[in-house]
Amino acid sequence: MNKKQNYYFQTDLILLLIAFAIISFLAVYNAQQLEQYSTNFLIRQMLFYAIGVGMIAAIQFLDLEQLYKTSLYIYIGGIVLLALIPISPDFIAREINGAKSWYTFIPGLTLQPAEFVKISTILFLSAVVSRHKEKFEVSTLKTDIQLLGKLLLYIAIPVFLIMLQPDFGTAMVYLFIAGMLIILSGINWRIIFSLIIVGVAVIASALFVIIEFPEFAEETIGVAPYQIDRVMTWFDPSQQSADANYHFERSHMALGSGQLFGKGIGSVEVNYPEAQTDFIFSVIGESFGFVGSAFVVLLYFMLLYKLVTLGLNIYKHSPFGAYFCFGFLSLMLVHVFQNIGMTVGIMPVTGIPLLLISYGGSSVMSTMLGMAVVYRVAVEETIQNDYLFK
C-alpha cells in the first residue's frame, strides 16, 4: 500500500462507522419485530448506509479549499429547498404528523431537507468564521459584533423556515450549533455572556408561559397542543394524562426490562410508537441491556473525542476544517443528549433521532455526508503530518 492510499485509510473513523452500522442494523431489526410494523426497515437502512458510504468516497475527490469556496452556494441551495416546502403542492410535500417537512418523490420515499441543511449550514458558518478570522487577525469589540451579527443572520434564515413547517425540535438543534460555533469563534466573552443571559431568559420565559398559561401559549404564540403536552409531561409526569405519559412509561418499561445484558436479538416485547426512529435507544436497552446501552454511549464519546482532537490538530492548517469538526460535534452532541435524554425521562419528547443508529434515510444520509467532510479533514490532517516529518 503506497503513501497516497495510506492517507485515505483512516482506521479509527472506519472502525467507528462499522460499529455504528452494526448496532443500527441490529437495533432496527429488533424494532421491526414488534407486531405494529410490517415494513422491512433493515433492508432500507442498509441501503441508506450504502449510499452514505458512497458519499464519503465521493467527497474525497474534493479538498477542503474547494468545499470552502463552494460553501455559500451549498448553503443557498439548502435554503431554497427549505423555502419551497411551504408552497409546494401536497403531492410533492405532504403533511406528515402535523408538519410539512418532507418532499415526497415516490410513495414510501421521502426526503427531509432540514437534515441536509444542517450540514450545509455548518459548512457555511465554518467558512464565515474562518474567513472573518483571516480578515481580522486582531479582533476588536467592533469586529466581534460584526461576526456575531453575521452568524445570527445566517442561522436565523433556516431556523425561520423550519419553524414555518413547524419543527421546533429541529430549529433548536440549529440554534445549538450556532451557539457552539459562536463560543468557539473567539468572540469576546462579555458579548457571549450577554447573549447567554438573553437566551436563558427567553427560554425560561417561554417555558413559564407554556406551563402556567398553556391556553395563551396555544392561541397567541402558536404552540401546538402536543408540544404543550410534552413540556408538561417533562416537568411533572405524575400530573399528566395517561396519553401524555405513554411515551415515557413505555420507554422506561423497555429500558428496565432489559436489565444488565438484555433479552437478545429478536426478543423485544414492549410496544411503543416510533421504536425504529425516535425511541431506538429504548430498543437497544431492552435488547442488549445496560451493558449494550453503555457501549453505545461509549462509542459516541469516542466519536466526539475524535472530532475534538481532529479539530484542534487541523486548526493551524485549515481553520475552516477545524470549525466544521466543532460544528459537526455540536450536531452529534445535541442529538445524542436529547434523544437518549428523552428515553430516560430527563428531556421532553421530540422527533430528534439518534444519529447513525435511528432508522431514516434523511437522517442517515445527511449524517454520513457530514462524516464524509470529517473524513476529508482527517485525510488532510494525515497528509500535513506526513509532510511535517519528512
Side-chain angles (χ1 to χ4, degrees):
M1 186 178 293
N2 59 40
K3 285 282 186 181
K4 187 174 182 180
Q5 289 174 319
N6 281 329
Y7 297 148
Y8 291 95
F9 195 80
Q10 301 293 320
T11 307
D12 47 0
L13 288 175
I14 291 173
L15 291 177
L16 278 172
L17 285 174
I18 290 174
F20 276 116
I22 292 173
I23 292 170
S24 177
F25 297 157
L26 291 175
V28 170
Y29 172 79
N30 273 9
Q32 73 182 26
Q33 303 308 306
L34 298 173
E35 296 179 357
Q36 59 184 314
Y37 300 117
S38 59
T39 304
N40 193 330
F41 296 117
L42 178 59
I43 297 299
R44 293 186 179 186
Q45 188 78 341
M46 288 180 172
L47 176 60
F48 299 148
Y49 254 96
I51 295 173
V53 171
M55 290 178 175
I56 293 178
I59 291 294
Q60 305 318 304
F61 289 98
L62 304 174
D63 57 36
L64 292 181
E65 185 65 22
Q66 291 171 310
L67 292 171
Y68 173 79
K69 291 179 178 178
T70 58
S71 60
L72 172 60
Y73 307 105
I74 297 172
Y75 171 80
I76 293 174
I79 295 301
V80 170
L81 286 176
L82 286 177
L84 290 177
I85 284 186
I87 60 176
S88 297
D90 288 343
F91 70 90
I92 295 178
R94 63 188 179 91
E95 189 174 295
I96 302 176
N97 295 331
K100 196 171 184 179
S101 306
W102 293 264
Y103 285 111
T104 304
F105 298 104
I106 58 175
L109 179 60
T110 60
L111 178 70
Q112 187 176 9
E115 294 296 322
F116 292 91
V117 177
K118 290 175 186 175
I119 305 303
S120 64
T121 300
I122 294 173
L123 201 70
F124 180 56
L125 292 184
S126 301
V128 169
V129 175
S130 58
R131 187 178 295 117
H132 181 90
K133 304 294 284 186
E134 181 181 345
K135 182 177 179 181
F136 301 102
E137 295 183 4
V138 179
S139 62
T140 64
L141 191 62
K142 179 181 178 181
T143 60
D144 284 350
I145 292 176
Q146 289 177 352
L147 176 58
L148 178 62
K150 287 187 287 188
L151 292 176
L152 291 178
L153 172 62
Y154 295 138
I155 201 67
I157 298 172
V159 167
F160 172 75
L161 294 172
I162 290 169
M163 290 296 287
L164 290 178
Q165 296 178 1
D167 190 345
F168 183 76
T170 301
M172 292 301 100
V173 171
Y174 278 78
L175 292 176
F176 184 86
I177 293 170
M180 180 71 79
L181 287 175
I182 287 171
I183 292 174
L184 296 176
S185 64
I187 291 176
N188 189 290
W189 272 98
R190 288 177 295 178
I191 299 175
I192 293 177
F193 186 68
S194 301
L195 195 64
I196 291 174
I197 292 177
V198 172
V200 170
V202 170
I203 294 173
S205 300
L207 291 175
F208 176 78
V209 171
I210 291 174
I211 295 169
E212 297 296 331
F213 308 101
E215 294 182 0
F216 175 81
E218 180 180 349
E219 297 173 1
T220 306
I221 303 177
V223 181
Y226 76 91
Q227 293 173 328
I228 295 175
D229 287 341
R230 287 177 176 180
V231 173
M232 300 288 281
T233 302
W234 175 43
F235 269 86
D236 189 4
S238 64
Q239 299 299 318
Q240 302 308 307
S241 64
D243 289 340
N245 275 324
Y246 182 76
H247 291 87
F248 284 116
E249 291 176 353
R250 304 301 288 185
S251 176
H252 292 170
M253 186 183 300
L255 289 169
S257 65
Q259 299 186 32
L260 187 60
F261 296 106
K263 301 174 181 176
I265 299 174
S267 301
V268 290
E269 300 171 338
V270 181
N271 286 272
Y272 37 87
E274 310 301 334
Q276 81 283 9
T277 54
D278 299 346
F279 286 92
I280 195 71
F281 192 75
S282 298
V283 175
I284 293 172
E286 183 179 3
S287 303
F288 308 109
F290 174 80
V291 173
S293 302
F295 180 73
V296 170
V297 174
L298 176 62
L299 277 181
Y300 279 113
F301 270 114
M302 292 173 66
L303 177 57
L304 295 176
Y305 177 76
K306 175 62 180 180
L307 291 170
V308 170
T309 55
L310 182 58
L312 293 174
N313 292 337
I314 199 67
Y315 185 82
K316 288 184 178 180
H317 170 65
S318 173
F320 166 70
Y323 285 120
F324 183 87
C325 287
F326 299 144
F328 189 70
L329 178 149
S330 65
L331 172 65
M332 296 297 301
L333 181 62
V334 68
H335 269 265
V336 172
F337 182 79
Q338 168 60 35
N339 184 277
I340 295 180
M342 74 179 184
T343 62
V344 299
I346 63 173
M347 296 296 289
V349 175
T350 61
I352 293 179
L354 188 60
L355 298 183
L356 294 176
I357 294 182
S358 290
Y359 167 80
S362 297
S363 172
V364 171
M365 290 188 290
S366 63
T367 308
M368 291 292 277
L369 183 60
M371 287 298 299
V373 179
V374 169
Y375 200 98
R376 182 65 219 185
V377 173
V379 169
E380 297 209 11
E381 192 263 339
T382 304
I383 293 172
Q384 289 303 311
N385 285 340
D386 186 51
Y387 287 163
L388 180 64
F389 292 104
K390 276 187 176 180

